[in-house]
Amino acid sequence: MSNYIGPQEILRKKSEYLIPCVYHFYNEPMQLVRGEMQYLYDNTGKEYLDCFSGVSVVNCGHCNPQITEAICEQVKTLQHTTTIYLTENIVNLAEQLAQVTPGKLQKTFFCASGSEANEGAALLASLYTGSSEFLSLRQGLHGRTKLGMSLTGLSFWRTDSAPVGGISFAPNAYCYRCPLGKQYPECDLACANEIETIIKTATSGKVAAMFAEPIQGNGGMITPPLDYFKRVKEILDSYGILLITDEVQTGFGRTGKMFAIEHYGVEPDIMTMAKALANGTPVGAFTARPPIADVYTRPGASTLGGNPVTAAAGLATLKYIAANNLPARAAELGKVLKDGLLALQEKHSMIGDVRGLGLMLGAELILEGKIPAIAEIDLIIEKMKDRGFLLGKNGPNRNVLAFQPPLVITENDLSNMLTNLDEVMSSLTPS
Ligand code: PMP
C-alpha cells in the first residue's frame, strides 16, 4: 500500500485550504506522484504520456537526470545568499543567455516567475522611454500580477475589475477567425497596420513598449504569419516604441528554434523568459540591449532571483538543450505531429484548424458553423487522460487542444497519442 493521500483527500484539502482560484483539469483528476522524462505516474502507478509539460516548462523532460544532478549538487553546497553577495552561477547564466538570445540582447535581471519578468520588463521600458503607456495584443497573456493581468487580453484570466490604465490592445493575428474579417495575404497584414492607428488614436503618441508573445499560448496557439513581426517592429520603431517579446511559453527550443521570435527575423528590445529556462525550478528573467538595460541603476533586488540553485538548474538546462540539439528535435517532431493532426483533420470535421510551430501546436475544435466545441473538448481530454495521455486546452473559448510535450518525446509516443486521439474523437462523432 502506498502512503499517498489520494485524489479525493487532495480535493478535500484543496477546497478547505487553497484559495479557490487555483483550478484544476478533469472531472476525475489523478494524483501525480512521479515524473521521468516525457512520462508522469499517478499514485496507482499508472503511466501518462505528458503532452503539456506543466505548460511548456519541462522541455528537457521530468526529473531529467543531468539537470537533477546539477540541482542536487548545488543544493548540497550552497542554496541561497541573495545578490548582495557575489556568487558565480548567476553571472555565468546571464552570460549564456546573452549568447543564446537573438541580436544585441545582453544584460539580464533574474526573478522568480514569468509574471514578475514582465513586470520588470515594463518598468525597464518605462525608465528608458519616460512613458508608462503600453500596447498589448488581444488574447495575449502576460501574468497574474496587477500589471501583468492588465496587459492580458483574455477575460478568462482578467479577474481584476480595476486594471491599470494606459494600455491599448491591438487585434491579434488570428487568421482562422480574423478579428478584422479579412484573409491573409490579401489583408496586407491589416492587424499589424492597425497598431499604427491605435498609437495615433488611443495613446498620447509616446508609448513605452508593446508586449507580444510570438505565439500566443493561452490565447489558443495563435501563430502570426511569418512577415507579421517585421511590420510590427517597423511601426514601433517609427514611433520610438520598444518591442518586448514574452517568450515565457515559447522559449528554449519549444517552437523549433531557441526562441520563437527567431522565426520572424526580428530582434526584440527586451525579452522575457521563465518556465523552461530552469526546467521546473522557479525562475523568471528579462534581458535587454545594453543602452536600455543601463538606465536601470537604482538598487533593485529579487531575493530569490538568480539564486545558486535556480541558476545551476538554468545552466544545466541550457547545456542539455545544446548537447541534445532540442530546437532541431522540436522542429522535426513538430512536423510529424502537425502532419498527424492534419491527417486527423481530414477525418474529423471537429478539427477546424491546426496551427503552431515546432512542438507548440494547437487544434481548434469546432461544431457546425465554427461554433467552439467547448463541452466536447473537455470530454476528449478526460478520455485521453483515462487512456494515459495528458493534453492541454486553451484559447478565449477554451476550445483549442494544446500539444506542448517535453522535447525529448519520441516519434513513437506521438504516433501512439495520435492513434488514441483518433479513436477518442471517433467515439464522440458519428463521422
Ligand atoms: N507570459 C506567458 C506567455 C505565460 O504563458 C505565462 C504563464 N502561463 C506568464 C507570462 C506568467 O508566468 P508565471 O505563471 O510564471 O507568472
Side-chain angles (χ1 to χ4, degrees):
M1 272 307 284
S2 75
N3 291 323
Y4 302 115
I5 62 175
Q8 290 313 318
E9 182 62 359
I10 293 176
L11 287 173
R12 189 192 67 73
K13 289 196 189 202
K14 192 171 186 272
S15 79
E16 205 162 333
Y17 300 114
L18 290 188
I19 292 180
C21 68
V22 182
Y23 90 119
H24 59 264
F25 270 13
Y26 306 126
N27 280 331
E28 289 181 25
M30 65 292 192
Q31 176 185 2
L32 294 174
V33 297
R34 193 165 67 82
E36 204 179 305
M37 299 306 269
Q38 66 270 44
Y39 302 109
L40 285 164
Y41 298 86
D42 73 13
N43 61 325
T44 70
K46 179 171 170 170
E47 181 180 276
Y48 300 86
L49 178 68
D50 184 7
C51 294
F52 207 26
S53 302
V55 195
S56 213
V57 171
V58 288
N59 286 9
C60 301
H62 292 278
C63 303
N64 179 303
Q66 287 165 46
I67 300 169
T68 303
E69 195 186 317
I71 293 171
C72 291
E73 193 55 39
Q74 189 61 52
V75 165
K76 284 188 275 182
T77 317
L78 178 68
Q79 291 181 7
H80 177 77
T81 62
T82 203
T83 44
I84 52 175
Y85 306 107
L86 299 187
T87 55
E88 74 172 65
N89 289 355
I90 185 173
V91 289
N92 289 338
L93 182 58
E95 181 183 33
Q96 296 236 338
L97 284 181
Q99 282 159 13
V100 297
T101 49
K104 301 190 182 71
L105 295 176
Q106 185 186 322
K107 295 195 174 182
T108 295
F109 183 92
F110 290 101
C111 47
S113 72
S115 302
E116 222 187 316
N118 284 326
E119 289 275 341
L123 173 68
L124 179 60
S126 290
L127 289 174
Y128 182 72
T129 60
S131 165
S132 44
E133 279 185 79
F134 291 95
L135 298 170
S136 201
L137 287 174
R138 291 185 201 155
Q139 283 177 238
L141 184 141
H142 300 293
R144 189 192 55 263
T145 50
K146 182 93 182 169
L147 180 58
M149 194 177 278
S150 303
L151 287 162
T152 291
L154 285 163
S155 58
F156 185 82
W157 295 110
R158 282 176 69 100
T159 308
D160 187 356
S161 57
V164 176
I167 298 168
S168 304
F169 285 87
N172 59 344
Y174 186 5
C175 297
Y176 182 61
R177 297 179 193 268
C178 175
L180 303 173
K182 295 185 187 286
Q183 205 153 21
Y184 181 81
E186 296 78 46
C187 63
D188 184 32
L189 294 170
C191 57
N193 297 337
E194 189 67 14
I195 292 167
E196 180 156 28
T197 310
I198 290 167
I199 294 166
K200 284 185 181 162
T201 58
T203 75
S204 68
K206 191 163 165 41
V207 176
M210 174 167 165
F211 272 86
E213 294 161 81
I215 297 178
Q216 295 179 318
N218 280 273
M221 306 305 198
I222 305 300
T223 311
L226 290 177
D227 48 352
Y228 171 81
F229 277 105
K230 269 216 170 91
R231 181 77 58 86
V232 170
K233 186 78 170 99
E234 275 164 24
I235 295 168
L236 297 179
D237 282 348
S238 69
Y239 288 87
I241 300 170
L242 303 178
L243 175 64
I244 301 174
T245 48
D246 177 341
E247 294 262 6
V248 167
Q249 198 162 142
T250 47
F252 303 99
R254 166 67 46 204
T255 66
K257 295 204 185 276
M258 194 62 175
F259 294 100
I261 197 66
E262 293 171 54
H263 292 283
Y264 293 89
V266 160
E267 293 177 7
D269 299 292
I270 306 176
M271 182 185 278
T272 64
M273 294 155 270
K275 292 189 188 256
L277 165 56
N279 206 52
T281 309
V283 68
F286 56 96
T287 304
R289 290 194 281 112
I292 299 169
D294 288 341
V295 302
Y296 192 0
T297 53
R298 284 182 53 180
S302 163
T303 304
L304 296 170
N307 75 77
V309 178
T310 303
L315 284 165
T317 299
L318 292 182
K319 191 170 167 191
Y320 189 88
I321 291 173
N324 294 277
N325 211 352
L326 290 189
R329 187 181 173 94
E332 213 173 289
L333 291 176
K335 191 177 170 336
V336 171
L337 179 55
K338 197 174 206 173
D339 286 349
L341 291 170
L342 289 168
L344 286 190
Q345 187 183 26
E346 301 272 300
K347 194 168 162 191
H348 300 283
S349 58
M350 193 183 279
I351 301 182
D353 192 30
V354 174
R355 54 186 177 247
L357 294 168
L359 283 173
M360 181 160 181
L361 299 177
E364 179 159 349
L365 302 190
I366 54 158
L367 304 174
E368 230 180 283
K370 263 190 171 180
I371 294 170
I374 296 165
E376 290 75 7
I377 196 168
D378 280 342
L379 254 179
I380 290 169
I381 65 168
E382 188 91 32
K383 284 178 178 241
M384 286 298 282
K385 178 261 299 170
D386 292 341
R387 286 170 175 243
F389 300 90
L390 307 186
L391 304 183
K393 74 162 177 172
N394 53 36
N397 297 303
R398 314 290 296 160
N399 69 320
V400 181
L401 278 179
F403 303 90
Q404 291 164 286
L407 310 182
V408 295
I409 201 164
T410 65
E411 195 167 338
N412 195 35
D413 289 326
L414 291 174
S415 146
N416 257 338
M417 185 277 291
L418 286 163
T419 305
N420 278 272
L421 184 58
D422 185 15
E423 287 170 11
V424 165
M425 292 193 77
S426 300
S427 74
L428 291 190
T429 47
S431 54

